[in-house]
Amino acid sequence: MPTIHDVAERAGVSIKTVSRVLNGGTEVSEKTRGRIEEAMHALEFTPSAAARMLRGKPTGLIAVIAERLTTTPDSTEIIKGIQRVCEQNGKVLLIGETGGNADVADRLVADMRERRVEAILFATPFHRQIELASALGNTPVALANCFEATCRYTQAVPDDENGGHAAARIVLEAGHRRIAFLQLIPDMTATVLRLRGFLRAMREHDVLPNAQWLIHGATADDADEFSHLSEAVDRLFASADRPTAILCGNDKMAMRVIFILQRRGLRVPADVSVVGFDDFRLISEALDPGLTTVALPYREIGELAGRFVLDSDAGPATTVKVPCVPVMRGTVAPPPAGSAR
């Protein structure tokens, strides 16, 4: 890599003169400045981030410390949102993956601060509470898709409660009253909040939920998060007392449920309506008919967190809930004629 010494030698000036040009000094003649800039271009010289740090100038580096984010396909949109904000502001994004290991996260924080990053964002693939390293100093921080128990930094999270409410309203407003809810893993933040929204929508429509139809997903220890679905669907349709609509904790679950229903001779949506959650388009747009779902606003979460962390006038720390918006496609229809509503 060419150095400032190489530039000085090629331009026939002193290192101090090159340094003045790099620092925006005005005491260098236009002719000399031109020779230096020509030498830098010819040598493909770029001032290093380390040199910028020594001069006390911003490095232009923004860090994301992520937990399995780059390997979780549907949540990589968070990174895309942050990247977009960085590009708009002329910043370079550095990404460090923790793999869910707190010690790795602490080491990444220390490493990023040594690099004098201008800000650090923390991001997770699932909406959940996290504990941040204490050694963050005065580095600007924001959280994407996660939150602290004590809100020290601005945190952008999905509005899962209203998302669950929206999912229920889709089928309630289509005329369904016999609604099952196949949920995510117990005690997950999203599971708790979406159930709360679902129950609120049911109350608003004067519908009493069937407790036997509110089925939690597999536990975190299960190798297959969908291992329970076949049995769950069997239970729901074991008698004439059966649901006409099924809400699912995510689109992957909804796809599995649709396949299980079809193997049992049930048509979607003619016999059973199905609603997913996420709007993971590799699934929701690929199914036939397309999957009606509620979108998780991953990209918007990333963009908001990025803007907050780069805005010196953003104000006090706050929690921003980003709306989860219904996406209507083809897996919801009115209850079948003659069914008990």
Side-chain angles (χ1 to χ4, degrees):
M1 293 288 292
T3 67
I4 190 172
H5 299 271
D6 300 319
V7 174
E9 182 178 351
R10 186 178 182 96
V13 298
S14 68
I15 294 172
K16 188 174 182 179
T17 302
V18 176
S19 179
R20 284 174 179 160
V21 170
L22 291 174
N23 283 292
T26 59
E27 62 272 31
V28 179
S29 71
E30 288 301 316
K31 182 177 180 181
T32 301
R33 184 184 302 276
R35 288 208 316 275
I36 292 170
E37 290 175 350
E38 182 181 338
M40 287 192 291
H41 179 73
L43 293 169
E44 297 183 353
F45 170 81
T46 302
S48 69
R52 293 174 66 86
M53 287 187 285
L54 288 173
R55 295 196 301 271
K57 290 194 171 185
T59 61
L61 302 176
I62 304 298
V64 173
I65 296 178
E67 178 189 306
R68 301 188 181 96
L69 204 63
T70 58
T71 56
T72 307
D74 41 340
S75 57
T76 55
E77 291 293 311
I78 295 174
I79 295 293
K80 292 179 182 178
I82 298 170
Q83 178 66 46
R84 180 179 180 185
V85 173
C86 287
E87 290 173 353
Q88 291 171 344
N89 288 273
K91 308 297 183 183
V92 175
L93 186 62
L94 304 178
I95 302 174
E97 278 277 8
T98 70
N101 188 312
D103 291 337
V104 173
D106 289 344
R107 288 200 300 272
L108 283 170
V109 167
D111 182 54
M112 296 302 183
R113 294 195 68 209
E114 281 184 10
R115 294 170 184 267
R116 300 295 193 271
V117 296
E118 295 180 27
I120 298 177
L121 294 103
F122 293 85
T124 58
F126 306 110
H127 181 188
R128 74 174 189 86
Q129 181 176 321
I130 63 172
E131 294 183 9
L132 296 182
S134 57
L136 288 165
N138 59 359
T139 305
V141 171
L143 282 64
N145 206 37
C146 51
F147 61 95
E148 284 189 296
T150 301
C151 183
R152 293 185 294 164
Y153 308 104
T154 293
Q155 41 204 30
V157 297
D159 190 353
D160 274 305
E161 180 174 341
N162 280 322
H165 184 270
R169 282 189 58 188
I170 291 171
V171 292
L172 286 163
E173 293 177 0
H176 294 272
R177 296 298 180 267
R178 305 175 62 77
I179 304 166
F181 191 2
L182 301 181
Q183 302 169 73
L184 298 173
I185 296 171
D187 300 325
M188 282 181 64
T189 299
T191 304
V192 173
L193 293 176
R194 291 178 197 173
L195 178 60
R196 188 182 300 167
F198 167 82
L199 294 175
R200 174 160 56 90
M202 296 287 272
R203 287 195 303 271
E204 291 169 355
H205 288 76
D206 296 319
V207 179
L208 183 65
N210 185 331
Q212 301 301 314
W213 294 354
L214 306 180
I215 301 173
H216 278 110
T219 68
D221 295 329
D222 290 325
D224 182 359
E225 61 179 309
F226 303 120
S227 59
H228 68 295
L229 287 181
S230 185
E231 180 184 346
V233 172
D234 282 343
R235 195 191 328 163
L236 292 174
F237 292 89
S239 68
D241 182 24
R242 57 178 60 183
T244 60
I246 302 175
L247 307 186
C248 297
N250 60 34
D251 292 344
K252 298 173 189 176
M253 185 186 297
M255 178 178 66
R256 293 279 192 100
V257 167
I258 289 171
F259 292 161
I260 293 168
L261 291 170
Q262 290 173 341
R263 288 199 296 268
R264 284 156 177 72
L266 293 166
R267 300 164 298 166
V268 177
D271 298 318
V272 187
S273 290
V274 176
V275 176
F277 209 106
D278 287 352
D279 196 24
F280 182 27
R281 294 185 180 180
L282 288 177
I283 293 174
S284 59
E285 293 182 347
L287 290 173
D288 185 17
L291 179 64
T292 294
T293 185
V294 176
L296 262 178
Y298 284 129
R299 187 169 297 205
E300 292 88 343
I301 287 170
E303 288 185 6
L304 277 172
R307 291 195 192 104
F308 283 127
V309 84
L310 290 176
D311 185 359
S312 58
D313 299 320
T318 186
T319 299
V320 180
K321 296 181 180 179
V322 187
C324 300
V325 179
V327 182
M328 306 302 294
R329 293 191 180 93
T331 55
V332 173
S339 65
R341 296 177 57 179

